[in-house]
Amino acid sequence: MTIKIGSTRIDDLIKALDGRTLDGITFRYTGQKMGINAKFEHDGSDFETAKKAVKAFTKSTEEFAALFISIQP
């Protein structure tokens, strides 16, 4: 499944998320970046579970905690 993540610091998010496993879900950058958005493949069961994992990670990571992050299927 894919998930699209958007942020003004997308390059930093790509580095932080690529290959990372969050709440049992592994995220891999697809190499597709469109402006401030990037697509990731994930092995989660559904979009909502993957979205929740990304939100928890960004809120708990000091450098991303204050960023506005857009997450779409």
Side-chain angles (χ1 to χ4, degrees):
M1 299 179 75
T2 61
I3 190 168
K4 185 167 79 171
I5 302 172
S7 171
T8 55
R9 293 189 49 201
I10 194 62
D11 292 328
D12 294 329
L13 273 172
I14 290 170
K15 289 176 189 171
L17 286 174
D18 189 30
R20 184 176 294 262
T21 300
L22 307 170
D23 295 337
I25 301 170
T26 303
F27 293 85
R28 299 246 181 246
Y29 175 53
T30 64
Q32 295 179 311
K33 188 171 108 175
M34 298 124 320
I36 63 168
N37 296 298
K39 285 190 178 179
F40 289 83
E41 291 285 336
H42 68 85
D43 59 2
S45 59
D46 58 42
F47 167 72
E48 289 301 323
T49 305
K51 179 180 176 179
K52 183 178 175 183
V54 172
K55 282 190 169 199
F57 169 74
T58 57
K59 288 182 188 277
S60 68
T61 306
E62 187 175 334
E63 68 180 298
F64 304 128
L67 289 179
F68 172 76
I69 307 231
S70 167
I71 303 172
Q72 302 170 5

